[in-house]
Amino acid sequence: LNMLYKDPNQPMNTRIKVLMDQMTLEEKIGQMAQIDRRAATPEIMRDYSIGSLLSGGGSVPREQATAEEWMDMVNGFQTGSLSSRLGIPMIYGIDAVHGHNNVYKATIFPHNVGLGATRDNDLVKRIGAATALEARATGIPYVFAPCIAVCRDPRWGRCYESYSEDPKIVQDMTEIIPGLQGDIPPNSPKGVPYVGGNTKVAACAKHYVGDGGTTKGINMNNTVTNWHELLSIHMPPYYNSIIKGVSTVMVSYSSLNGVKMHANHQLVTKFLKGTLRFRGFVISDWQGIDKITYPQHANYTYSVLTGINAGIDMVMVPLNHTEFIDTLTSLVNNNFVPISRIDDAVRRILGVKFSMGLFENPMADHSLVDQLGSQAHRDLAREAVRKSLVLLKNGENTDNPVLPLPKKASKILVAGSHANNLGFQCGGWTITWQGQGGNDQTVGTTIFNGISTAVHPSTEIAYSESPDEDFVKSNNFSYAVVVVGEPPYAESAGDNSNLTIPQQGLDTIKNVCGNVKCVVVLVSGRPLVIQPYLKHIDALVAAWLPGTEGNGVADVLFGDYVFTGKSSRTWFKTVDQLPMNVGDSHYDPLFPIGYGLTTEPV
Ligand SMILES: OC[C@@H]1[C@@H](O)[C@H](O)[C@@H](O)c2nc(-c3ccccc3)cn21
């Protein structure tokens, strides 16, 4: 064995060549496989030279596992990989899309729709750095973030994962990539994968391309567009991501003019790798190649053939590694997939692993364990919540603003399904794939907690999840804060064609706002139908999906900080206007993109 590839002083291309010249076809194809931790053992990692592991949404070592337990799990698998013939380290990936969201006690930041409303790319970069530290606190060096979708229809179940409908805002927010991966050193070449050491992680720009442009926002569906629109709306964030050294790109489940992206050689190879000269590796989505056919997996040989030949380098298999390896090996041996395609994929995968120092530091760094959910990160998340809030209405005129609210009042009411529900305020992709309600999923501060802490000690607070009218009338409340919105959802479960506030929330708005001065705080992944209720609402705040630091809402409601958020999305009047985006000729919004009232400091 020529061990020169293990010498970090060798030029990267030498290391890649020396290693690849010694790799068997099985070992090369093994590197192209990513499997979920549930389907893995250290022996499988060793015997098949598996390139990567992942945690799918909610795939955790055990409920409420500690950072140490995560590290031990990752290290266990890594030890298996390192004991293989060539000792190539595996790379462990996970969805850290609003903080390290699968992990108990991690800091959960506002989802991207709220970050877009901050218009603060430095904040988003700092969030990237914090997220990298929390991922490394669990021994994980690779995250499937950022989602740089340009969501063009809020009926899409993943619209909250998109920073904005405006590609320029999404381009601006790609600053999260140097936050996650580190800044490319001044004398280093741009546009090549870069990860700056073991407090940083490899990132993943997703989902390539046009995921946010599907017909009626139907998840995984078809994006009908022309080259001009594609290159001006959905592609621009990839330009910035590649320049900033993003290490990986994930392919979208969706189709482009009827061609599945996972089978799209023109876009994945000719454009992304050719025209844009992307040098990292392209990864599929979960069973993304299986979904090339309908029903999925109907012709796996065809799936592997077209997915790999389209230019996918690593396949998120993610459960049956032998089927993938056997199928691809057979396709290569029978000259359906050229060895040059395999070598391109492996060269890219090894390039990321070498450039990020994975060969030198394959094991978790236990010194970072305290970064998980640190107070500094929670303070950062609280700042992000403050800056993400958008004030849509503040009294009937500017002379009588409702906000900021007085901290000192005789008796106030905090009401609504989302007022005291940590799971609801975090939304999907939190602890589990879909997210769920309740206050025992993880650790944080609800909006109600924040209000309780913020008001003057002499102020009496009543809390009711869904008060009836008599209750409201029989108390002499100075004012009420009504917090309502959407339940958590992810992906197709979030596709929604009516975009109405759930009935319980509408009832609470009616019962409360019809009888006392009320501030409605809407917790949702997107604009919802609000116009019919606006006249009964004294003040209206879009809080999006704030995450675990709900006290950031109170910070702004009571004037400790002023409102600065600007909506990153068009707020429609009715859903039959959709899709309706800034620039459209029929642009007739209730609140235009960029709308956001400000308040006076107290
Ligand atoms: O979690 C890994 C990736 C994630 O990075 C992608 O953004 C997302 O499209 C996705 N959907 C599934 C997934 C979907 C249905 C069933 C099981 C898993 C898995 N994943």
Side-chain angles (χ1 to χ4, degrees), residues 54 56-57 95 144 158 206-207 250 253 285-286 316 429 433 491:
L54 87 142
D95 296 277
F144 306 128
R158 308 193 71 167
K206 71 183 188 182
H207 311 79
M250 186 183 292
Y253 282 131
D285 205 332
W286 182 286
M316 189 183 292
W429 292 103
W433 178 40
E491 301 194 55

Side-chain angles (χ1 to χ4, degrees), residues 377-397:
H377 296 168
R378 291 185 185 275
D379 293 345
L380 174 61
R382 183 171 180 171
E383 175 189 353
V385 171
R386 288 195 293 264
K387 292 179 171 179
S388 66
L389 300 181
V390 177
L391 183 54
L392 296 171
K393 180 179 182 182
N394 190 9
E396 293 312 321
N397 54 59

Side-chain angles (χ1 to χ4, degrees), residues 33-71:
Q34 179 183 70
I35 62 177
D36 188 280
R37 49 167 287 284
R38 288 167 289 201
T41 66
E43 294 68 35
I44 289 172
M45 303 306 288
R46 178 196 62 210
D47 298 345
Y48 291 88
S49 180
I50 300 291
S52 178
L53 274 181
L54 87 142
S55 279
S59 176
V60 299
R62 73 173 179 81
E63 291 239 328
Q64 302 190 353
T66 64
E68 292 285 3
E69 286 171 312
W70 276 92
M71 282 201 225

Side-chain angles (χ1 to χ4, degrees), residues 274-586:
T275 309
L276 298 188
R277 302 205 40 66
F278 174 61
R279 315 299 295 276
F281 69 78
V282 175
I283 186 168
S284 82
D285 205 332
W286 182 286
Q287 293 178 334
I289 62 170
D290 309 50
K291 294 178 192 315
I292 288 172
T293 60
Y294 182 82
Q296 74 173 51
H297 207 82
N299 183 337
Y300 194 59
T301 303
Y302 176 74
S303 283
V304 175
L305 173 68
T306 48
I308 298 300
N309 279 347
I312 290 170
D313 302 311
M314 182 176 283
V315 173
M316 189 183 292
V317 177
L319 301 173
N320 187 340
H321 62 284
T322 52
E323 184 188 30
F324 169 69
I325 291 167
D326 295 348
T327 303
L328 184 49
T329 303
S330 159
L331 286 166
V332 174
N333 290 337
N334 292 287
N335 298 317
F336 287 99
V337 173
I339 189 63
S340 59
R341 176 70 274 274
I342 302 298
D343 287 344
D344 172 56
V346 176
R347 195 172 296 119
R348 289 169 179 271
I349 292 166
L350 295 178
V352 169
K353 291 183 174 183
F354 280 126
S355 69
M356 69 187 285
L358 198 59
F359 279 77
E360 285 67 55
N361 293 293
M363 309 307 275
D365 177 352
H366 286 255
S367 72
L368 295 172
V369 70
D370 294 337
Q371 292 293 333
L372 186 69
S374 73
Q375 191 52 51
H377 296 168
R378 291 185 185 275
D379 293 345
L380 174 61
R382 183 171 180 171
E383 175 189 353
V385 171
R386 288 195 293 264
K387 292 179 171 179
S388 66
L389 300 181
V390 177
L391 183 54
L392 296 171
K393 180 179 182 182
N394 190 9
E396 293 312 321
N397 54 59
T398 50
D399 301 339
N400 304 297
V402 176
L403 295 173
L405 291 169
K407 289 183 178 180
K408 200 168 174 4
S410 58
K411 186 164 54 170
I412 67 172
L413 170 64
V414 179
S417 51
H418 289 55
N420 194 35
N421 193 315
L422 194 63
F424 280 3
Q425 72 190 50
C426 289
W429 292 103
T430 308
I431 305 303
T432 62
W433 178 40
Q434 291 291 321
Q436 60 192 91
N439 289 327
D440 51 8
Q441 298 306 316
T442 190
V443 170
T445 309
T446 66
I447 293 168
F448 172 62
N449 296 149
I451 292 171
S452 305
T453 312
V455 296
H456 190 275
S458 67
T459 301
E460 186 186 341
I461 300 184
Y463 165 72
S464 171
E465 184 179 326
S466 47
D468 61 27
E469 203 162 18
D470 294 344
F471 173 77
V472 181
K473 282 180 170 171
S474 60
N475 281 277
N476 183 22
F477 294 118
S478 312
Y479 57 78
V481 180
V482 174
V483 191
V484 296
E486 292 187 293
Y489 52 79
E491 301 194 55
S492 300
D495 283 2
N496 180 324
S497 55
N498 58 55
L499 295 179
T500 52
I501 296 172
Q503 193 54 47
Q504 182 191 356
L506 294 178
D507 293 344
T508 305
I509 288 173
K510 185 171 64 65
N511 292 343
V512 176
C513 297
N515 296 292
V516 66
K517 179 160 67 170
C518 77
V519 179
V520 172
V521 177
L522 195 57
V523 174
S524 65
R526 52 201 163 183
L528 298 177
V529 174
I530 193 71
Q531 186 181 32
Y533 322 106
L534 215 43
K535 54 184 171 301
H536 307 302
I537 294 170
D538 298 296
L540 176 63
V541 175
W544 316 108
L545 295 170
T548 49
E549 307 314 302
N551 39 22
V553 176
D555 287 344
V556 183
L557 289 182
F558 293 99
D560 292 347
Y561 293 82
V562 296
F563 278 89
T564 56
K566 304 289 176 211
S567 181
S568 57
R569 302 201 60 77
T570 297
W571 205 292
F572 55 84
K573 290 173 177 166
T574 65
V575 289
D576 13 352
Q577 293 180 300
L578 300 178
M580 178 171 68
N581 294 285
V582 59
D584 288 353
S585 55
H586 67 293

